[in-house]
Structure formats: C-alpha cells, structure tokens
Amino acid sequence: MGGQLGGTPILVLREGSERTKGKEAQNRNILAAKTVASAVRTTLGPKGMDKMLVDSMGDVVITNDGATILKEMDIEHPAAKMMVEVAKTQDDEVGDGTTTAVVLAGELLKKAEDLLEQDVHPTLIASGYGMASEKASVILNGIAADVKADDIVMLKKIAKTSITGKGAEIGGENLIDLAVNAVSAIVDEDGSVDIENISVEKKTGANAEESQLISGMVIDKERVHPNMPKKVEGAKIALINAALEIEKTEVDAKIEITSPDQLKSFLDEEERMLKEIVEKISASGANVVFCQKGIDDLVQHYLAKAGILAARRAKKSDMEKLSRATGGRIVTNVDEIEDNDLGSAGVVEERKIGDDQMIFVEECKNPKAVSILLRGGTEHVVDELDRGLHDALRVIGVAIEDKKVIAGGGSPEVELALRLREFASTVGGREQLAIEAFADAMEAIPRTLAENAGLDPIDMIVALRSAHESGSKTSGLNVYEGKVVDMNEAGVIEPLRVKTQSISSATESANMILRIDDVIASSRSAAPPMPPGGMGGMGGMGGMPPGMDFD
Ligand SMILES: Nc1ncnc2c1ncn2[C@@H]1O[C@H](COP(=O)(O)OP(=O)(O)O)[C@@H](O)[C@H]1O
Ligand SMILES: [Mg+2]
C-alpha cells in the first residue's frame, strides 16, 4: 500500500484506514502480545487451570491446551495474532510446549519494553535476543540426555509429563501405555514417526480406562448386509477403491428397451455382471472387503452368500491406514484383484461399542498403522482426552525421532538463565543488556509454574537458582510439595525439541513484533462480514481484517 518512486513517497490508503507509528505502534503491539500471553499463562503446568471457551453458537470447549485456547479465541489485533502463530508453529512442530512458547514470547516482549524505555534500539534488542536464543539451544543440547526408541520406561515418563494436569490425566496409566505402545508400533524403518498412522476413534459411554489399542484398525462402519459373517478369522482383506456396482451412466447411455423380453434379458445381464464382480473378489481368496465407494444391493447379497464380510464408503484415510496395517494394496479395478493384493489380519469382527457397530481389524502382523479406541463418559471428556492423547503421541514420537530428552519442571529454564547471564558478560556492549533480559525472561516458566501451584514464586526462584549455582542442572519444581527436587528422579521428562522449539519460536515472534514500528490497518467497515458461526473455524489467523481495538 505504500511505496517509494524516485524518492517521492506514495501512500494509497483506503479512507478510514488507521495508521500507528513509532513508539505508539510498538507499545500497542507489545501490549496486545502480552495480553495473549497472560490469557494462557494460568494454564501452565500440572496445576494450571482450565479455560472454558464459548463460541458465538454457544458451543463450549473446556481445555488446558494452549494451542486450542488460542485457536478458539476471537483474536483480532495483528500482533496478538502473531502470538497465536507462535502457538500454532509450536503445535505443528512438536505438539507440546505451546503455552511455554507463548508465555516466553510475552515475557521477552515485557523485558524488551524496559529496554526500550532505556532507549536501547529495538534492532539491538532483537539481535541480542537472537544471540541468546542460539546460545540457549547449545546449552540445552549440552544438558540433554540420550533416549533409545525401545526405552519404554523413559517414553512413559515423557507421555506422563505431557498429560499431567490435563483432562487426559483421568486416562491414567492405561492411556499412557496405549500411547507408548501405539507409537512404538508405527516407527518407520528410518526411525521417523508419523502419528497420522495412529487413528483415534472416539466413543462416549464408557470409562477412559476402557480405551484400547488395536493392533490393526478399528473402523467406524458396520457390515453392509445382516447375512454376512460378524466375525472372520484368518482374514484376507480386499481394499477396493471402486464402486461395486454397474456404472449407471454407461447403462443409461446404451440401453433402449422396447419389449418385456428385452427388459428381462437386460436385467439378467445386469445381474450376471454384478455376480461376476463378487466371483472375481471371491476368486482372489478374499473373505473381507473394505470398499471406498458404494456396493450395489445385489453385490451385497452375493457377497453375503459367499461368506464375505464387507463394509462400504470407508474413508480414504482409513483405507490408507488399512493398507499399512494389513499389508494389503488398494486396488482400483476389481478385474485386477489378486491374492497378493490382499491384506491379512488374525481376525476381523463387528462389535457393538456404545450405540454403534464398529469393525475391528485385529491381530495384524507388524502393522504400520494402528488404532486407539478412546472411551470417555461424555463428549467433552473424550474431546479433552483426545487432545491430551494427541500431545502424548506427538512427544513420544518426537523423543523417538530425536533420541534426546531433557528434564522439565522449570529446570532447563533456570539453568538457561544462569548460563546466559554468564554468556552475556562475555558479549558486553548493549547487546549484553538484551541477553541479560532474555536470561531473566526464561525464569518466567518456573515462576509461573510456582504461581499456578499457589507457591511463593520468589522463594521458589531463589531456591532453584541456588540449586543450579551449586551444579545440579536438573533441579526443578515439585509443584505439589513446593520443593526443589531433581526432575530426573521425579520422572518429569520432555523431548529436547519441545524446549528448543519453544524458545526459538518465542524469540522469532518477539523479534518480529519488536521490529515493527508502523502499523497500517485498513478500514474495518470495509471488512467482509463474519462467516456464520464466526470464530469457531477461524483458526486464529486469516479471515479477519487487522483491527486496532484489541486493547
Ligand atoms: N509433574 C510435574 N512437575 C513439575 N513440572 C511439570 C510436571 N509436569 C509437567 N511439568 C512442567 O509443566 C510445563 C508444561 O506445562 P503445560 O501446561 O503442559 O504447557 P505447555 O503447553 O507449554 O506444554 C513444562 O515446563 C513441564 O516441565
Ligand atoms: Mg504440555
């Protein structure tokens, strides 16, 4: 909207546009970002509180998950939206540590405010923060420990740390076991983990402890015909991405019927073709069929007669996972189906779960996709369990991929504060001030953990600092007893990436906000109307014009 032509500034702004410059713009941005941080900070840690979010349709979400809170909040200010992006990036990269990232970003900006007051230039602050962030990553790598992909005990600690204080905690040890076993099952040969290969089916009406891991898949479908077997042992599974019917258009185009005889022979012909489809499937040796498209009534009948269990209109994503779980190949042409296209499973069975029938594909050998059937009393409970489970799956996956873990409970942040202050003095100059501010900002994490647990934050910080000064790098906060303890012994363990990512994304966004000294917001009245349902699907970013009324 603004430009420079031969030294002549050109500015074309819509009438009603708002422009804020210099200190004013900076202050407003920082305030907006801090507001977002303070909205989520009370949820941090095992004793953090939950938020109840009500959207414009009156739908309620109760959660403790930073990324979810920010996603559901109707945030407008551009700088505040950048904070939402921090949470989103963190969530995409590691799936945990979102609140930490946002709290850190808010604290970095708060410290920057003090430096701006002292007339330290924002560029200098940003460069000091950048240096500190890089150094922080080196320090964290130095205090991280190795973990092996088969270290179940350690992986369980990681899963437990990520769901402590979340609604998902009610899932207890069972949920943690499920999560660890599920991820362990789907590790790729190259050591990478894609948790997309774990499908989570949510069903209300039972306790979280009744959740189960299926060594294969559970599909939210029922068999298409009541005469089909409910249970097939030694299942040979055909995965078909084609309609098991005669293409209607083809028929319409070619057939012109003029006599009853013709009609009969046409119907006979149609029946023969449909029967042939089933014969081909049967000839391949299949006794179970998952079809991504529809299945004609007659085909259903013949499949039932042939003793084949079939389900139709399976989701594409489920078909892909079925393929990974059973080793079968998805075929698009029934004529081509052969024995070696078929997947296998020890047993395929339709069972009633809650009010619905579901098909279990179990006892797969070495499945590369698995399912978790997640149970909970109510929708709200299962949804929060699902969010917690998702975080747990992610952190287990990240730990297996990176093979590096670090103690939590505020211990890495206290260690960083200590070591970065030492580092600052070696840098000197004005950047030293920024690095020191960065070091102070790190302590926002243990301080907030203490505050949220109703502990005296000053006492706790003092005790933590002194433990770290005397060399115990993994001393953190036992939030239940208000004591400083070794976090390795307490079993509070996180993947290294959760920490490094939260610090780097917090730094990046704080720096981005710091470098802005001009906010040009186009007129709000020119904005397109909100879509019906509004914020629900907003995802925080996009859609809304930048408004300036956050504060
Ligand atoms: N049992 C525990 N004792 C002390 N701190 C813990 C414990 N479990 C988790 N934490 C700490 O809580 C913080 C994470 O809190 P959480 O609410 O999950 O926020 P985030 O969205 O940043 O993951 C981390 O610093 C983690 O080390
Ligand atoms: Mg967490």
Side-chain angles (χ1 to χ4, degrees):
M1 51 187 83
Q4 199 88 31
L5 252 190
T8 321
I10 301 174
L11 204 58
V12 189
L13 291 181
R14 192 198 295 273
E15 199 180 340
S17 297
E18 205 179 327
R19 183 164 184 191
T20 335
K21 290 212 265 186
K23 277 244 157 74
E24 162 92 13
Q26 239 152 23
N27 289 340
R28 284 215 204 183
N29 282 342
I30 291 174
L31 181 62
K34 283 197 308 187
T35 309
V36 172
S38 67
V40 295
R41 70 180 290 158
T42 55
T43 69
L44 186 81
K47 299 217 122 188
M49 303 295 280
D50 294 346
K51 302 266 171 200
M52 179 189 269
L53 303 150
V54 187
D55 74 12
S56 55
M57 302 298 282
D59 287 337
V60 175
V61 178
I62 298 169
T63 186
N64 178 292
D65 183 67
T68 307
I69 296 167
L70 294 175
K71 196 171 79 194
E72 299 285 335
M73 268 165 66
D74 198 0
I75 288 175
E76 263 188 39
H77 191 284
K81 279 188 177 180
M82 288 169 76
M83 298 289 276
V84 178
E85 278 295 282
V86 178
K88 200 169 163 291
T89 310
Q90 181 74 20
D91 201 36
D92 292 346
E93 297 287 326
V94 270
D96 196 12
T98 48
T99 312
T100 301
V102 173
V103 168
L104 284 178
E107 196 68 15
L108 286 172
L109 286 166
K110 189 169 154 200
K111 299 285 172 205
E113 232 175 358
D114 300 341
L115 292 175
L116 290 169
E117 293 269 302
Q118 299 168 46
D119 273 331
V120 181
H121 196 274
T123 329
L124 256 170
I125 303 174
S127 94
Y129 277 5
M131 288 166 74
S133 167
E134 270 172 36
K135 184 71 183 176
S137 169
V138 175
I139 296 169
L140 290 174
N141 269 283
I143 55 175
D146 295 330
V147 64
K148 292 210 180 72
D150 59 2
D151 188 345
I152 301 295
V153 175
M154 189 63 98
L155 295 178
K156 281 189 188 173
K157 288 179 185 168
I158 293 165
K160 180 154 195 211
T161 302
S162 86
I163 64 169
T164 303
K166 311 276 168 203
E169 227 173 347
I170 59 160
E173 290 295 322
N174 181 36
L175 202 63
I176 290 168
D177 286 350
L178 290 185
V180 170
N181 293 337
V183 181
S184 300
I186 54 116
V187 181
D188 255 341
E189 274 130 42
D190 65 0
S192 67
V193 177
D194 183 358
I195 65 147
E196 291 291 310
N197 291 317
I198 301 170
S199 83
V200 177
E201 289 293 341
K202 300 184 275 187
K203 278 276 179 265
T204 56
N207 269 334
E209 288 95 71
E210 282 167 58
S211 302
Q212 47 173 304
L213 174 66
I214 289 94
S215 194
M217 296 292 296
V218 52
I219 306 287
D220 198 354
K221 290 276 166 199
E222 54 188 316
R223 64 203 204 288
V224 285
H225 198 285
N227 291 349
M228 286 176 172
K230 262 199 158 183
K231 181 173 182 178
V232 175
E233 291 187 43
K236 289 280 181 195
I237 304 161
L239 302 171
I240 302 170
N241 180 16
L244 300 184
E245 48 199 28
I246 297 167
E247 270 195 56
K248 294 292 184 301
T249 51
E250 226 173 281
V251 179
D252 289 348
K254 283 186 192 155
I255 312 288
E256 194 180 305
I257 292 163
T258 51
S259 74
D261 271 2
Q262 253 181 331
L263 178 62
K264 181 166 186 321
S265 70
F266 164 65
L267 290 175
D268 287 349
E269 170 66 4
E270 193 176 64
E271 190 169 336
R272 193 192 57 75
M273 282 164 77
L274 291 169
K275 207 170 171 179
E276 210 175 272
I277 293 177
V278 178
E279 276 159 10
K280 276 174 192 149
I281 293 171
S282 203
S284 73
N287 50 19
V288 174
V289 170
F290 284 99
C291 181
Q292 203 174 326
K293 305 251 167 73
I295 304 180
D296 187 279
D297 288 354
L298 264 179
V299 174
Q300 294 178 19
H301 167 78
Y302 287 125
L303 282 169
K305 260 187 136 177
I308 295 175
L309 189 164
R312 65 176 162 181
R313 307 214 179 279
K315 282 188 284 183
K316 181 166 183 274
S317 58
D318 280 348
M319 292 294 284
E320 281 157 7
K321 282 179 215 154
L322 277 168
S323 165
R324 289 181 63 90
T326 66
R329 195 175 70 87
I330 299 170
V331 294
T332 49
N333 185 347
V334 180
D335 295 336
E336 288 170 4
I337 194 161
E338 280 178 25
D339 168 55
N340 59 8
D341 295 322
L342 304 179
S344 50
V347 59
V348 174
E349 185 178 16
E350 183 188 272
R351 281 178 216 147
K352 191 162 187 207
I353 300 296
D355 294 333
D356 302 310
Q357 301 290 347
M358 300 181 98
I359 299 177
F360 288 70
V361 180
E362 285 179 320
E363 296 171 24
C364 295
K365 266 194 228 98
N366 202 9
K368 285 292 157 224
V370 296
S371 286
I372 292 173
L373 178 61
L374 189 60
R375 308 302 307 272
T378 67
E379 290 286 337
H380 289 300
V381 171
V382 212
D383 285 347
E384 183 68 350
L385 275 170
D386 186 28
R387 281 188 284 271
L389 175 62
H390 186 261
D391 284 5
L393 296 174
R394 287 295 306 278
V395 291
I396 298 163
V398 166
I400 290 177
E401 278 187 352
D402 295 357
K403 303 182 185 68
K404 287 274 179 197
V405 292
I406 196 162
S411 67
E413 289 86 1
V414 177
E415 184 68 14
L416 278 176
L418 181 71
R419 306 272 289 274
L420 286 172
R421 282 188 199 107
E422 289 166 12
F423 171 63
S425 60
T426 68
V427 172
R430 290 204 143 193
E431 267 144 357
Q432 174 173 351
L433 292 177
I435 299 170
E436 277 164 359
F438 189 102
D440 292 345
M442 293 299 113
E443 286 180 346
I445 299 304
R447 196 171 346 107
T448 307
L449 287 174
E451 276 167 15
N452 290 350
L455 302 167
D456 185 294
I458 297 175
D459 287 353
M460 291 300 129
I461 294 285
V462 169
L464 283 165
R465 277 186 192 162
S466 102
H468 281 255
E469 273 157 13
S470 61
S472 67
K473 297 182 171 63
T474 50
S475 281
L477 208 53
N478 178 331
V479 289
Y480 308 101
E481 291 171 22
K483 284 195 209 130
V484 171
V485 298
D486 187 299
M487 285 293 127
N488 278 332
E489 277 162 33
V492 179
I493 311 284
E494 296 179 84
L496 173 63
R497 207 198 301 175
V498 171
K499 289 293 156 201
T500 49
Q501 179 68 41
S502 62
I503 289 172
S504 66
S505 49
T507 309
E508 270 169 38
S509 66
N511 280 355
M512 214 183 278
I513 291 172
L514 278 176
R515 286 177 208 272
I516 299 167
D517 75 339
D518 197 351
V519 176
I520 303 158
S522 57
S523 154
R524 297 200 65 209
S525 57
M530 282 276 283
M535 58 179 257
M538 279 282 302
M541 290 296 284
M544 294 295 288
M548 294 298 298
D549 56 353
F550 190 85
D551 43 343

